[in-house]
């Protein structure tokens, strides 16, 4: 009994220190949002949700539930950080809403692109059946305001989200918290181990951890989760549903392309485009590619759209931009896909796909979206965020690893020929 009391006291003290660090960091957090906002203005908006846990408007008044008259047991809260997590959560959210007319969802995000993705996926349900906002920073007052507004009966966190104060507040309210589609890489496990004094109690407060693989499950157990609370159910990203409307848009683009072979570099990041454009130029000059080959570049982050446009312009390649409602002309070599929420349309347009974030050590992006449209998918050597998926695709002959953009072009030409 005394040991249990000591553990409780130790946890209370560590959370207080953690909260104190969070309070001290508030100016840095504000500075970070301002810095991000310079490149992506959406970061300038909705700060009250991040720092106070609620929107400062009449319909989001403190202590006023977003879904008045609805039983807490029928309110599901899902936290999906950004685009990939939001898309992965879509079947779960639709399944919950499909249980009856009085079921509701509160959907939170960390990034503006996640918020925009959720708005696009659930446009028909907002605001009557689904409410959106940013997840507040893990501060007690922000959590308190948010939970009084959301009133969830069940909290679901996507992938790897552990917030000590928030999980404590949920436990105090008697609201179970579940980690689904959970993954824990070796690198994340080492980081968690350095903060075991915080991560351990947070893991213990989860009702269930639903891991993607047995390896992920074993890592969670090694870091303090009880074996009995960890299950393995596979990766929810395999359950994606392609919206027919956006796919039809891609078909229309394809008809306008006039039979050209379309190479899509999807979700490119951190100036990967430099090597991409150089390799494309060389392949055009040495005859491996012809005027019928069209390169489509779709950057991952909207704050980089103008930067990528400048890179293409500086390369000397002729191009047009989706954001200006320009379709590529027959003599243009590159089309810049600088739009949000249209990745499936770009995939439908393409003949083959290169996954961005994989040619440099960033961990890659989800290759399953290309597979869902039956497009040959290639990825670089750095797919550690999607290691199991990439390995399975190669094993089944559905995807192929390349070492460089030149390698992609060589392999792609062979495939297309």
């Amino acid at each position: 009994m005394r040991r249990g009391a000591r553990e409780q006291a130790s946890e209370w003290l560590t959370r207080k220190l953690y909260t104190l660090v969070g309070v001290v960091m508030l100016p840095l957090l504000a500075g970070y949002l301002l810095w991000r906002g310079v490149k992506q203005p959406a970061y300038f908006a909705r700060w009250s949700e991040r720092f106070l846990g609620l929107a400062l408007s009449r319909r989001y008044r403190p202590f006023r539930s977003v879904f008045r008259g609805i039983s807490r047991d029928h309110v599901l809260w899902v936290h999906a950080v950004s685009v990939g997590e939001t898309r992965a959560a879509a079947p779960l959210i639709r399944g919950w809403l499909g249980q009856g007319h009085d079921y509701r969802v509160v959907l939170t995000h960390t990034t503006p692109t996640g918020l925009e993705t959720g708005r696009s996926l659930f446009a028909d349900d907002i605001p009557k059946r689904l409410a959106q906002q940013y997840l507040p920073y893990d501060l007690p007052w922000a959590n308190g305001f948010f939970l009084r507004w959301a009133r969830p009966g069940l909290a679901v966190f996507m992938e790897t989200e552990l917030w000590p104060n928030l999980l404590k507040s949920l436990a105090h309210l008697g609201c179970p918290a579940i980690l689904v589609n959970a993954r824990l890489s070796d690198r994340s496990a080492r980081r968690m181990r350095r903060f075991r004094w915080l991560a351990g109690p947070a893991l213990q407060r989860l009702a269930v951890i639903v891991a993607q693989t047995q390896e992920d499950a074993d890592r969670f157990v090694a870091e303090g989760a009880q074996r009995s609370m960890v299950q393995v159910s596979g990766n929810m990203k395999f359950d994606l549903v392609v919206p027919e409307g956006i796919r039809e848009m891609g078909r229309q683009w394809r008809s306008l392309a006039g039979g050209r072979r379309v190479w899509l570099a999807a979700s490119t990041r951190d100036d990967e485009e430099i090597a991409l454009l150089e390799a494309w130029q060389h392949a055009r000059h040495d005859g491996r590619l012809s005027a019928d080959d069209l390169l489509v570049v779709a950057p991952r982050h909207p704050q980089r759209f103008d930067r990528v446009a400048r890179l293409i312009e500086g390369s000397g390649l002729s191009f047009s931009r989706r954001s200006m409602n320009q379709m590529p002309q027959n003599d243009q070599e590159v089309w810049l896909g600088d739009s949000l929420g249209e990745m499936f349309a770009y995939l439908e347009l393409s003949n083959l796909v290169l996954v961005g974030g994989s040619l440099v050590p960033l961990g890659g992006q989800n290759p399953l979206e290309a597979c869902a449209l039956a497009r040959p998918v290639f990825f670089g050597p750095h797919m550690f965020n999607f290691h199991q998926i990439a390995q399975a695709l190669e094993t089944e002959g559905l995807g192929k690893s390349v070492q460089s953009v030149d390698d992609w072009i060589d392999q792609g030409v062979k495939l297309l020929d």
Side-chain angles (χ1 to χ4, degrees):
M1 179 67 72
R2 273 179 290 185
R3 180 183 171 187
R6 285 198 302 269
E7 289 176 348
Q8 290 180 10
S10 175
E11 183 199 346
W12 178 87
L13 180 59
T14 55
R15 276 195 303 103
K16 292 299 181 184
L17 291 173
Y18 164 77
T19 301
L20 179 61
V21 171
V23 172
V24 171
M25 287 183 62
L26 284 175
L28 296 178
L29 292 172
Y32 170 77
L33 294 177
L34 289 170
W35 175 73
R36 292 298 302 267
V38 171
K39 295 184 177 180
Q40 192 173 355
Y43 274 98
F44 288 136
R46 306 174 73 156
W47 279 28
S48 65
E49 295 175 12
R50 297 183 185 272
F51 289 98
L52 298 179
L54 50 89
L56 294 180
S57 67
R58 182 172 298 176
R59 68 191 183 94
Y60 292 108
R61 280 198 299 257
F63 312 109
R64 181 175 180 179
S65 172
V66 64
F67 297 126
R68 287 178 295 170
I70 299 296
S71 168
R72 277 186 56 186
D73 292 338
H74 289 184
V75 178
L76 173 69
W77 168 31
V78 177
H79 177 57
V81 173
S82 194
V83 176
E85 295 86 353
T86 304
R87 287 177 177 162
L92 170 67
I93 292 171
R94 291 193 176 100
W96 182 270
L97 293 175
Q99 293 185 87
H101 73 279
D102 59 343
Y103 280 76
R104 302 289 187 269
V105 170
V106 174
L107 178 60
T108 58
H109 312 274
T110 302
T111 69
T113 49
L115 192 77
E116 183 60 35
T117 300
R119 185 181 296 126
S120 174
L121 288 173
F122 303 105
D124 293 339
D125 296 305
I126 299 171
K128 292 185 177 180
R129 303 196 67 199
L130 186 145
Q132 272 187 296
Q133 77 163 55
Y134 287 120
L135 180 73
Y137 292 124
D138 196 24
L139 300 164
W141 65 82
N143 292 334
F145 283 139
F146 169 75
L147 291 174
R148 288 183 182 92
W149 171 76
R151 292 185 66 252
L154 178 65
V156 172
F157 300 92
M158 297 295 296
E159 300 203 357
T160 312
E161 289 289 303
L162 291 175
W163 300 105
N165 283 331
L166 182 54
L167 288 170
K168 172 65 175 178
S169 298
L170 287 168
H172 179 73
L173 292 176
C175 176
I178 300 174
L179 191 64
V180 303
N181 213 40
R183 63 185 177 93
L184 191 65
S185 65
D186 284 330
R187 185 169 64 173
S188 296
R190 289 193 297 271
R191 189 182 306 121
M192 187 177 290
R193 204 167 301 133
R194 288 199 297 269
F195 297 96
R196 181 174 289 232
W197 48 282
L198 270 175
L203 283 172
Q204 294 294 323
R205 285 205 164 89
L206 292 168
V208 179
I209 297 175
V210 185
Q212 294 183 14
T213 68
Q214 188 60 52
E215 290 82 1
D216 292 312
D218 292 340
R219 291 189 190 105
F220 277 110
V221 171
E223 298 311 317
Q226 296 179 9
R227 176 70 68 176
S228 60
M229 62 184 270
V230 182
Q231 304 174 11
V232 178
S233 70
N235 193 332
M236 290 171 62
K237 291 182 177 178
F238 281 92
D239 301 328
L240 64 89
V241 177
V242 182
E244 184 56 33
I246 200 73
R247 189 169 187 178
E248 178 57 32
M249 179 188 293
R251 295 190 189 105
Q252 293 174 10
W253 291 350
R254 191 161 182 80
S255 66
L256 294 172
R260 298 182 69 179
R261 303 194 302 189
V262 180
W263 303 61
L264 172 63
S267 299
T268 55
R269 299 170 59 188
D270 286 25
D271 285 354
E272 283 181 301
E273 299 86 3
I274 294 175
L276 178 67
L277 296 168
E278 288 178 354
W280 192 261
Q281 281 183 312
H282 293 157
R284 289 292 294 268
H285 291 156
D286 63 23
R288 285 179 292 160
L289 296 172
S290 71
D292 285 335
D293 290 286
L294 172 66
L295 174 63
V296 178
V297 182
R300 172 73 173 172
H301 298 118
Q303 63 268 29
R304 297 191 61 250
F305 288 165
D306 290 338
R307 162 70 176 168
V308 177
R310 290 192 295 271
L311 290 176
I312 300 173
E313 186 175 22
S315 73
L317 294 168
S318 58
F319 75 106
S320 52
R321 300 181 65 163
R322 163 62 180 156
S323 63
M324 296 181 179
N325 292 320
Q326 300 169 339
M327 290 300 297
Q329 303 302 308
N330 291 336
D331 60 344
Q332 289 181 325
E333 300 152 295
V334 181
W335 193 35
L336 175 56
D338 52 348
S339 61
L340 290 175
E342 296 182 343
M343 183 56 72
F344 283 118
Y346 294 120
L347 291 166
E348 183 68 39
L349 165 67
S350 68
N351 291 93
L352 44 77
V353 180
L354 175 66
V355 175
S358 64
L359 294 171
V360 291
L362 295 172
Q365 299 297 148
N366 183 10
L368 294 176
E369 295 173 350
C371 296
L373 293 179
R375 296 300 186 266
V377 61
F378 296 80
F379 35 81
H382 304 288
M383 285 288 286
F384 51 82
N385 285 338
F386 297 88
H387 172 70
Q388 291 88 358
I389 292 176
Q391 190 175 52
L393 291 178
E394 285 212 84
T395 300
E396 298 298 329
L398 304 174
K400 186 168 181 61
S401 178
V402 294
Q403 297 304 308
S404 65
V405 182
D406 271 320
D407 192 12
W408 176 49
I409 293 173
D410 288 340
Q411 298 288 341
V413 167
K414 291 178 184 178
L415 184 64
L416 292 172
D417 287 345

mmCIF file of all heavy atoms in Angstrom, residues 290-311:
data_model
loop_
_atom_site.group_PDB
_atom_site.id
_atom_site.type_symbol
_atom_site.label_atom_id
_atom_site.label_comp_id
_atom_site.label_asym_id
_atom_site.label_seq_id
_atom_site.Cartn_x
_atom_site.Cartn_y
_atom_site.Cartn_z
ATOM 1 N N SER A 290 10.488 11.113 -73.496
ATOM 2 C CA SER A 290 10.108 11.866 -74.691
ATOM 3 C C SER A 290 9.156 12.986 -74.311
ATOM 4 O O SER A 290 8.789 13.162 -73.140
ATOM 5 C CB SER A 290 9.439 10.924 -75.697
ATOM 6 O OG SER A 290 8.148 10.535 -75.230
ATOM 7 N N ALA A 291 8.701 13.718 -75.308
ATOM 8 C CA ALA A 291 7.751 14.809 -75.076
ATOM 9 C C ALA A 291 6.407 14.286 -74.581
ATOM 10 O O ALA A 291 5.593 15.051 -74.049
ATOM 11 C CB ALA A 291 7.570 15.620 -76.357
ATOM 12 N N ASP A 292 6.152 12.993 -74.758
ATOM 13 C CA ASP A 292 4.891 12.411 -74.290
ATOM 14 C C ASP A 292 4.912 12.121 -72.789
ATOM 15 O O ASP A 292 3.872 11.768 -72.229
ATOM 16 C CB ASP A 292 4.594 11.112 -75.047
ATOM 17 C CG ASP A 292 4.118 11.370 -76.474
ATOM 18 O OD1 ASP A 292 3.581 12.472 -76.705
ATOM 19 O OD2 ASP A 292 4.303 10.491 -77.322
ATOM 20 N N ASP A 293 6.067 12.233 -72.156
ATOM 21 C CA ASP A 293 6.167 11.963 -70.719
ATOM 22 C C ASP A 293 5.933 13.252 -69.948
ATOM 23 O O ASP A 293 6.601 14.269 -70.168
ATOM 24 C CB ASP A 293 7.539 11.393 -70.375
ATOM 25 C CG ASP A 293 7.718 9.986 -70.905
ATOM 26 O OD1 ASP A 293 7.125 9.064 -70.332
ATOM 27 O OD2 ASP A 293 8.438 9.823 -71.913
ATOM 28 N N LEU A 294 4.977 13.213 -69.028
ATOM 29 C CA LEU A 294 4.614 14.373 -68.209
ATOM 30 C C LEU A 294 4.923 14.073 -66.743
ATOM 31 O O LEU A 294 4.489 13.043 -66.216
ATOM 32 C CB LEU A 294 3.131 14.700 -68.367
ATOM 33 C CG LEU A 294 2.555 15.779 -67.434
ATOM 34 C CD1 LEU A 294 3.165 17.148 -67.750
ATOM 35 C CD2 LEU A 294 1.026 15.824 -67.533
ATOM 36 N N LEU A 295 5.665 14.963 -66.106
ATOM 37 C CA LEU A 295 5.959 14.825 -64.676
ATOM 38 C C LEU A 295 4.972 15.665 -63.879
ATOM 39 O O LEU A 295 4.832 16.865 -64.124
ATOM 40 C CB LEU A 295 7.387 15.294 -64.391
ATOM 41 C CG LEU A 295 7.805 15.341 -62.906
ATOM 42 C CD1 LEU A 295 7.780 13.940 -62.292
ATOM 43 C CD2 LEU A 295 9.186 15.972 -62.754
ATOM 44 N N VAL A 296 4.287 15.037 -62.931
ATOM 45 C CA VAL A 296 3.393 15.740 -62.011
ATOM 46 C C VAL A 296 4.040 15.720 -60.632
ATOM 47 O O VAL A 296 4.379 14.654 -60.111
ATOM 48 C CB VAL A 296 1.997 15.083 -61.952
ATOM 49 C CG1 VAL A 296 1.106 15.811 -60.948
ATOM 50 C CG2 VAL A 296 1.354 15.090 -63.332
ATOM 51 N N VAL A 297 4.227 16.881 -60.050
ATOM 52 C CA VAL A 297 4.838 17.007 -58.727
ATOM 53 C C VAL A 297 3.773 17.511 -57.756
ATOM 54 O O VAL A 297 3.227 18.602 -57.942
ATOM 55 C CB VAL A 297 6.032 17.978 -58.746
ATOM 56 C CG1 VAL A 297 6.670 18.055 -57.357
ATOM 57 C CG2 VAL A 297 7.059 17.554 -59.782
ATOM 58 N N ALA A 298 3.469 16.711 -56.732
ATOM 59 C CA ALA A 298 2.467 17.085 -55.734
ATOM 60 C C ALA A 298 3.138 17.182 -54.366
ATOM 61 O O ALA A 298 3.312 16.162 -53.686
ATOM 62 C CB ALA A 298 1.328 16.059 -55.693
ATOM 63 N N PRO A 299 3.567 18.387 -53.947
ATOM 64 C CA PRO A 299 4.245 18.526 -52.646
ATOM 65 C C PRO A 299 3.331 18.156 -51.482
ATOM 66 O O PRO A 299 2.110 18.332 -51.540
ATOM 67 C CB PRO A 299 4.609 20.017 -52.602
ATOM 68 C CG PRO A 299 4.564 20.477 -54.025
ATOM 69 C CD PRO A 299 3.495 19.659 -54.675
ATOM 70 N N ARG A 300 3.952 17.668 -50.423
ATOM 71 C CA ARG A 300 3.208 17.240 -49.239
ATOM 72 C C ARG A 300 2.583 18.421 -48.504
ATOM 73 O O ARG A 300 1.441 18.346 -48.070
ATOM 74 C CB ARG A 300 4.163 16.484 -48.304
ATOM 75 C CG ARG A 300 3.607 16.122 -46.945
ATOM 76 C CD ARG A 300 2.615 15.015 -47.031
ATOM 77 N NE ARG A 300 2.194 14.542 -45.721
ATOM 78 C CZ ARG A 300 1.202 13.661 -45.542
ATOM 79 N NH1 ARG A 300 0.554 13.182 -46.586
ATOM 80 N NH2 ARG A 300 0.867 13.270 -44.346
ATOM 81 N N HIS A 301 3.337 19.511 -48.336
ATOM 82 C CA HIS A 301 2.904 20.602 -47.475
ATOM 83 C C HIS A 301 2.594 21.855 -48.286
ATOM 84 O O HIS A 301 3.397 22.274 -49.127
ATOM 85 C CB HIS A 301 3.986 20.914 -46.437
ATOM 86 C CG HIS A 301 4.276 19.757 -45.528
ATOM 87 N ND1 HIS A 301 5.515 19.151 -45.473
ATOM 88 C CD2 HIS A 301 3.485 19.084 -44.655
ATOM 89 C CE1 HIS A 301 5.469 18.162 -44.589
ATOM 90 N NE2 HIS A 301 4.257 18.101 -44.089
ATOM 91 N N PRO A 302 1.436 22.471 -48.053
ATOM 92 C CA PRO A 302 1.045 23.641 -48.854
ATOM 93 C C PRO A 302 1.971 24.832 -48.703
ATOM 94 O O PRO A 302 2.078 25.638 -49.628
ATOM 95 C CB PRO A 302 -0.372 23.959 -48.341
ATOM 96 C CG PRO A 302 -0.466 23.310 -46.997
ATOM 97 C CD PRO A 302 0.392 22.100 -47.074
ATOM 98 N N GLN A 303 2.663 24.958 -47.566
ATOM 99 C CA GLN A 303 3.568 26.092 -47.396
ATOM 100 C C GLN A 303 4.760 26.015 -48.350
ATOM 101 O O GLN A 303 5.503 26.986 -48.494
ATOM 102 C CB GLN A 303 4.049 26.195 -45.946
ATOM 103 C CG GLN A 303 4.875 25.032 -45.439
ATOM 104 C CD GLN A 303 4.038 23.966 -44.766
ATOM 105 O OE1 GLN A 303 2.877 23.778 -45.094
ATOM 106 N NE2 GLN A 303 4.626 23.275 -43.788
ATOM 107 N N ARG A 304 4.947 24.871 -49.005
ATOM 108 C CA ARG A 304 6.063 24.718 -49.941
ATOM 109 C C ARG A 304 5.631 24.887 -51.401
ATOM 110 O O ARG A 304 6.471 24.778 -52.300
ATOM 111 C CB ARG A 304 6.710 23.339 -49.759
ATOM 112 C CG ARG A 304 7.336 23.106 -48.388
ATOM 113 C CD ARG A 304 8.182 21.830 -48.375
ATOM 114 N NE ARG A 304 9.271 21.909 -49.332
ATOM 115 C CZ ARG A 304 9.329 21.192 -50.453
ATOM 116 N NH1 ARG A 304 8.361 20.339 -50.754
ATOM 117 N NH2 ARG A 304 10.352 21.308 -51.277
ATOM 118 N N PHE A 305 4.360 25.126 -51.660
ATOM 119 C CA PHE A 305 3.895 25.191 -53.049
ATOM 120 C C PHE A 305 4.672 26.234 -53.855
ATOM 121 O O PHE A 305 5.152 25.950 -54.955
ATOM 122 C CB PHE A 305 2.397 25.502 -53.096
ATOM 123 C CG PHE A 305 1.508 24.363 -52.663
ATOM 124 C CD1 PHE A 305 0.165 24.602 -52.364
ATOM 125 C CD2 PHE A 305 1.980 23.077 -52.551
ATOM 126 C CE1 PHE A 305 -0.668 23.568 -51.973
ATOM 127 C CE2 PHE A 305 1.155 22.026 -52.160
ATOM 128 C CZ PHE A 305 -0.181 22.277 -51.868
ATOM 129 N N ASP A 306 4.778 27.446 -53.327
ATOM 130 C CA ASP A 306 5.485 28.499 -54.059
ATOM 131 C C ASP A 306 6.978 28.188 -54.183
ATOM 132 O O ASP A 306 7.604 28.491 -55.206
ATOM 133 C CB ASP A 306 5.276 29.855 -53.382
ATOM 134 C CG ASP A 306 3.862 30.372 -53.533
ATOM 135 O OD1 ASP A 306 3.168 29.930 -54.477
ATOM 136 O OD2 ASP A 306 3.439 31.196 -52.704
ATOM 137 N N ARG A 307 7.544 27.609 -53.147
ATOM 138 C CA ARG A 307 8.953 27.220 -53.183
ATOM 139 C C ARG A 307 9.193 26.219 -54.315
ATOM 140 O O ARG A 307 10.159 26.358 -55.088
ATOM 141 C CB ARG A 307 9.339 26.601 -51.836
ATOM 142 C CG ARG A 307 10.607 25.763 -51.812
ATOM 143 C CD ARG A 307 11.842 26.583 -51.967
ATOM 144 N NE ARG A 307 13.049 25.762 -51.855
ATOM 145 C CZ ARG A 307 14.261 26.182 -52.175
ATOM 146 N NH1 ARG A 307 14.434 27.407 -52.634
ATOM 147 N NH2 ARG A 307 15.304 25.399 -52.049
ATOM 148 N N VAL A 308 8.332 25.218 -54.449
ATOM 149 C CA VAL A 308 8.498 24.207 -55.503
ATOM 150 C C VAL A 308 8.298 24.841 -56.880
ATOM 151 O O VAL A 308 8.992 24.492 -57.839
ATOM 152 C CB VAL A 308 7.532 23.029 -55.281
ATOM 153 C CG1 VAL A 308 7.648 22.007 -56.416
ATOM 154 C CG2 VAL A 308 7.833 22.347 -53.944
ATOM 155 N N ALA A 309 7.354 25.783 -56.976
ATOM 156 C CA ALA A 309 7.168 26.483 -58.258
ATOM 157 C C ALA A 309 8.453 27.201 -58.670
ATOM 158 O O ALA A 309 8.837 27.184 -59.856
ATOM 159 C CB ALA A 309 6.011 27.469 -58.142
ATOM 160 N N ARG A 310 9.126 27.817 -57.709
ATOM 161 C CA ARG A 310 10.388 28.509 -58.018
ATOM 162 C C ARG A 310 11.468 27.512 -58.442
ATOM 163 O O ARG A 310 12.289 27.797 -59.328
ATOM 164 C CB ARG A 310 10.853 29.335 -56.823
ATOM 165 C CG ARG A 310 9.977 30.551 -56.540
ATOM 166 C CD ARG A 310 10.640 31.489 -55.533
ATOM 167 N NE ARG A 310 10.796 30.881 -54.215
ATOM 168 C CZ ARG A 310 9.892 30.932 -53.252
ATOM 169 N NH1 ARG A 310 8.732 31.555 -53.459
ATOM 170 N NH2 ARG A 310 10.123 30.370 -52.079
ATOM 171 N N LEU A 311 11.488 26.327 -57.793
ATOM 172 C CA LEU A 311 12.467 25.307 -58.171
ATOM 173 C C LEU A 311 12.237 24.834 -59.603
ATOM 174 O O LEU A 311 13.199 24.658 -60.370
ATOM 175 C CB LEU A 311 12.379 24.116 -57.203
ATOM 176 C CG LEU A 311 12.868 24.344 -55.773
ATOM 177 C CD1 LEU A 311 12.615 23.101 -54.928
ATOM 178 C CD2 LEU A 311 14.348 24.707 -55.747
#
